[in-house]
Amino acid sequence: MPASVELRNVRKSYGAAEIIKGVSLRVAPGEFVVLVGPSGCGKSTLLRMIAGLEAISAGELRFDDVVVNDWDPARRRVGMVFQSYALYPHMTVEQNVGFALKLAKIPATERAARVDSALGVLQLTQLRHHKPSQLSGGQRQRVAIGRAIVRNPNVFLFDEPLSNLDATLRGQMRMEIARLHQRLMNTVIYVTHDQVEAMTLADRIVVLEDGVVRQIGTPMELYDAPANLFVASFIGTPTMGLFDARVTAQGLAIGTGDTETVRLPAHCAAVPAGTDLTLGIRPEHCTVSPVEGASLRGTIVMLERLGADTFAFLEVPGARDLVPVRLSAQTDGVVTGQKVGLEFDVGKAHVFDQTGMALPR
Amino acid sequence: MTPAAYKSIPLRLALYALMAVFGVVFLLPFLFMLSSSLKTNDGIFADFASIRAVLPVGALTGENYLHAFARGNIGHYLANSLLITGVTVLMGMVVNSLAAFALARLEWRGKQTALTLLVIALVVPFEAISVPLMILVAKLPGVALGADGLTMTRSWLDTLYVQIVPFVANAFSIFLFYQFFRDIPKDFDEAAYIDGATPLQVYRHVIVPSSLPVFATVAILQSLTMWNQYLWPLITVPGEAARPLMIGMEQFFGARKTAWGEVMAYASLITVPVLIAFIVLQRWFVRSVVGSGVKG
């Protein structure tokens, strides 16, 4: 039975250093939630606290509304897939998958049936007598997943499970994990620093920074309406182009010196003149144009051709970093070093105040 | 030496020649012992100044071995030594590996202090504690199995277990296990805890099967130490009943100073079991020594 998981103001400290600074989250039964954030943000620590591998310093962790703070990992009935796979090297695939059932003293016939079923689901039946050292990365990953599903856990926990795989295999395994979730409908909490994984797998994403939740929402909520500058710059590939801006009588002046002015977005109409803001714009909302008559101008410093899409990265006065622009299919005339105009739909722009919080639309 | 240097043929030849010299230096005394054990006293002295001294040539006889068994009580001492070594090593592997498991894999208050004490124990030579230890065991009440059944005794002296118990826990063995266990990824333990294992089950099902080389190393090193024990049985085992081979040989040598063939037969009988054990466990031993940085 998939369980609900609830964290109520959960904290974790090592001595004086607080790593998790009061996280609250409710994961519904059967939901796929991804914890995402840069390295060191505390996402793996949070997952290990849910697994029972790290003690919770303060706050409550509930499974199906029962407080489980003091339960050991086995009692919590979680299945966990580690980044390193952590397959027992001396055991065969079959023994690895069946180890938990053996410890639970499940009768041999039932154990064999459940192991067979798990191996079948993951297409590992042919490899049942192989040792981990004889398997490829993707096969090891499947064994690790098999070890987790054989116990019918309440909650699946994945700790960066695809980070050791190459790009192609990562894509395949991502799809397999998504299909497995559709089939089993277990509650899944999945940790990754790869926002593509987060966007493609999650029902909801939790963005963490420095032990604090920055935003919780569906992938498209986070993409379309980032609550703050951190989420805006973390979600999306390439990242959002960001400009320092100031509200003036004429509109929004880009940069702080002698710079260009664009129209003030409608939702910023009430912001008084003189206020410093940050303007963010997604690559797909930008276009390049002839320099003449353009409100913003820049130089193409890099072109990234990905096949279906081509991104131009522009150096623009007033921008915090290179500004990515998704080009239309016709890119033949565009070369690096070219001076171009930059146009964007101000209505699609995201505006953040000096504390980094998004201005409400 | 760089891998490229190994490819140079003259250098490789020089290296082999050097290794051959070392091999001969180590092998000659051993061959002398074995071949002399099969010769009469006259034969030994006749061959002494030639290469024949290390070769089993001339009039060979097995009588030295028969005499060693008949006059040296070697069967009894051999059984004692095998028992003392076997029990100590088996118990030591369990006790020391469990101690190392607690130090390397579990979190508990005082662990760092325990580790410090372990390192201190490593540098204290046994000779420094042998006399206080002897005084201690001399006053410890023990048990003895005699004609009247199991009886209490006033002391541990002159028993087999006085040669076993003090050597079961061994700081060096714990340290070897600790070093090996520490390098096993912690994810294995955590995966096992998630699977429902207790710490003892993690030790039994995860750590031990992953650590066979270090078990072989500890078995060989502790076997050698126990087999070669001399000082401790000399001061704690005055009688014959619990006497081990080494002390038996000293007595035999003292009584039959001129019977070199018999002395060599006795020495061969002491050496051969250790040699067999080493050959059997050599593959594991070398792997573990290389892996753990232990000096051979």
Side-chain angles (χ1 to χ4, degrees), chain A residues 133-144:
Chain A
S133 58
Q134 299 168 294
L135 304 176
S136 68
Q139 289 165 341
R140 286 180 204 186
Q141 187 55 265
R142 291 216 297 275
V143 178

Side-chain angles (χ1 to χ4, degrees), chain B:
Chain B
M1 200 175 289
T2 62
Y6 277 110
K7 286 179 188 162
S8 145
I9 291 174
L11 202 75
R12 224 179 331 167
L13 283 175
L15 204 66
Y16 283 134
L18 193 71
M19 286 195 287
V21 170
F22 273 110
V24 167
V25 166
F26 279 97
L27 209 61
L28 279 181
F30 182 70
L31 291 176
F32 175 72
M33 176 186 74
L34 279 181
S35 56
S36 299
S37 73
L38 297 168
K39 295 175 185 173
T40 60
N41 249 18
D42 292 343
I44 294 170
F45 283 111
D47 295 342
F48 199 70
S50 71
I51 188 70
R52 291 169 63 89
V54 295
L55 299 173
V57 290
L60 300 180
T61 170
E63 273 195 4
N64 291 330
Y65 285 91
L66 294 177
H67 289 161
F69 268 99
R71 296 169 190 164
N73 205 6
I74 199 167
H76 181 68
Y77 300 156
L78 184 67
N80 282 347
S81 276
L82 283 173
L83 188 76
I84 292 162
T85 304
V87 172
T88 311
V89 170
L90 284 178
M91 289 174 68
M93 294 227 268
V94 175
V95 169
N96 297 321
S97 63
L98 274 170
F101 174 72
L103 288 168
R105 314 298 288 192
L106 304 180
E107 293 305 321
W108 43 281
R109 198 184 293 269
K111 192 169 98 166
Q112 281 309 315
T113 312
L115 263 172
T116 309
L117 288 174
L118 179 74
V119 174
I120 291 170
L122 273 177
V123 297
V124 177
F126 177 72
E127 287 74 10
I129 59 163
S130 57
V131 172
L133 192 63
M134 193 265 283
I135 294 167
L136 179 75
V137 296
K139 291 177 180 173
L140 276 178
V143 287
L145 187 63
D148 309 329
L150 213 56
T151 52
M152 292 292 289
T153 61
R154 288 173 177 276
S155 158
W156 280 27
L157 294 184
D158 221 9
T159 61
L160 285 172
Y161 54 82
V162 77
Q163 300 174 77
I164 295 173
V165 176
F167 301 98
V168 169
N170 181 296
F172 186 60
S173 299
I174 295 173
F175 191 70
L176 282 184
F177 279 122
Y178 171 77
Q179 272 195 315
F180 198 92
F181 292 171
R182 198 188 47 184
D183 293 340
I184 298 174
K186 282 251 159 99
D187 282 0
F188 291 142
D189 305 28
E190 293 181 344
Y193 287 128
I194 295 269
D195 279 342
T198 60
L200 212 55
Q201 284 171 321
V202 171
Y203 164 80
R204 159 80 182 79
H205 294 292
V206 178
I207 300 297
V208 172
S210 308
S211 312
L212 296 181
V214 74
F215 275 90
T217 305
V218 169
I220 290 178
L221 293 178
Q222 216 171 354
S223 296
L224 280 175
T225 308
M226 292 310 296
W227 191 259
N228 294 331
Q229 281 278 17
Y230 182 77
L231 174 66
W232 182 248
L234 190 70
I235 60 178
T236 58
V237 185
E240 280 209 6
R243 182 177 292 167
L245 265 181
M246 289 297 163
I247 305 298
M249 179 167 166
E250 190 266 338
Q251 306 264 321
F252 185 75
F253 185 69
R256 306 189 57 74
K257 224 167 233 171
T258 52
W260 289 105
E262 292 176 26
V263 169
M264 291 301 166
Y266 201 118
S268 299
L269 284 167
I270 291 177
T271 312
V272 166
V274 179
L275 202 67
I276 291 171
F278 181 77
I279 289 168
V280 170
L281 297 171
Q282 185 195 28
R283 188 164 57 97
W284 297 101
F285 180 70
V286 171
R287 194 188 300 177
S288 175
V289 166
V290 169
S292 62
V294 179
K295 285 182 184 165

Side-chain angles (χ1 to χ4, degrees), chain A residues 44-74:
Chain A
S44 284
T45 306
L46 196 59
L47 193 80
R48 291 166 57 78
M49 288 159 79
I50 296 169
L53 297 172
E54 294 279 354
I56 295 170
S57 305
E60 273 186 4
L61 173 67
R62 291 166 176 259
F63 282 10
D64 283 337
D65 292 321
V66 178
V67 177
V68 298
N69 286 38
D70 297 328
W71 289 14
D72 60 33

Side-chain angles (χ1 to χ4, degrees), chain A residues 20-279:
Chain A
I20 302 292
K21 299 165 182 168
V23 169
S24 296
L25 166 72
R26 185 176 171 83
V27 182
E31 193 178 14
F32 198 126
V33 166
V34 175
L35 307 181
V36 71
S39 297
C41 71
K43 56 192 186 297
S44 284
T45 306
L46 196 59
L47 193 80
R48 291 166 57 78
M49 288 159 79
I50 296 169
L53 297 172
E54 294 279 354
I56 295 170
S57 305
E60 273 186 4
L61 173 67
R62 291 166 176 259
F63 282 10
D64 283 337
D65 292 321
V66 178
V67 177
V68 298
N69 286 38
D70 297 328
W71 289 14
D72 60 33
R75 193 174 171 201
R76 294 184 192 196
R77 285 184 53 85
V78 295
M80 186 156 171
V81 178
F82 292 82
Q83 184 177 1
S84 65
Y85 318 135
L87 300 179
Y88 310 121
H90 55 284
M91 294 186 197
T92 62
V93 166
E94 189 175 31
Q95 289 166 335
N96 262 288
V97 173
F99 183 59
L101 304 180
K102 189 177 167 189
L103 290 176
K105 296 191 167 61
I106 303 289
T109 48
E110 186 189 337
R111 198 163 74 212
R114 283 169 65 175
V115 169
D116 284 349
S117 164
L119 294 180
V121 167
L122 295 159
Q123 296 162 10
L124 288 167
T125 310
Q126 300 294 320
L127 303 171
R128 63 190 313 147
H129 300 303
H130 286 53
K131 293 269 179 70
S133 58
Q134 299 168 294
L135 304 176
S136 68
Q139 289 165 341
R140 286 180 204 186
Q141 187 55 265
R142 291 216 297 275
V143 178
I145 294 171
R147 194 168 62 180
I149 65 172
V150 78
R151 298 170 58 223
N152 297 328
N154 290 330
V155 182
F156 271 117
L157 305 173
F158 289 85
D159 188 5
E160 307 213 28
L162 308 185
S163 56
N164 288 342
L165 304 179
D166 63 47
T168 313
L169 206 51
R170 206 157 51 222
Q172 287 171 6
M173 285 306 298
R174 208 162 57 210
M175 226 176 321
E176 283 195 36
I177 290 172
R179 287 218 303 262
L180 197 68
H181 178 243
Q182 282 165 7
R183 181 172 171 171
L184 302 174
M185 286 313 291
N186 287 72
T187 309
V188 176
I189 302 177
Y190 187 108
V191 160
T192 181
H193 64 268
D194 180 346
Q195 50 105 359
V196 177
E197 258 172 68
M199 294 289 282
T200 51
L201 287 170
D203 293 327
R204 280 192 305 153
I205 297 175
V206 179
V207 183
L208 285 161
E209 185 198 14
D210 198 19
V212 177
V213 173
R214 292 297 178 199
Q215 192 173 358
I216 302 173
T218 64
M220 289 321 290
E221 278 171 3
L222 263 57
Y223 190 79
D224 291 335
N228 50 60
L229 208 46
F230 177 77
V231 175
S233 52
F234 193 78
I235 300 291
T237 307
T239 57
M240 188 182 275
L242 297 172
F243 300 87
D244 292 320
R246 174 170 289 170
V247 179
T248 64
Q250 290 74 38
L252 203 55
I254 303 296
T256 50
D258 177 20
T259 49
E260 312 293 345
T261 301
V262 296
R263 186 164 54 84
L264 196 63
H267 64 283
C268 306
V271 179
T275 307
D276 287 328
L277 298 171
T278 303
L279 185 79

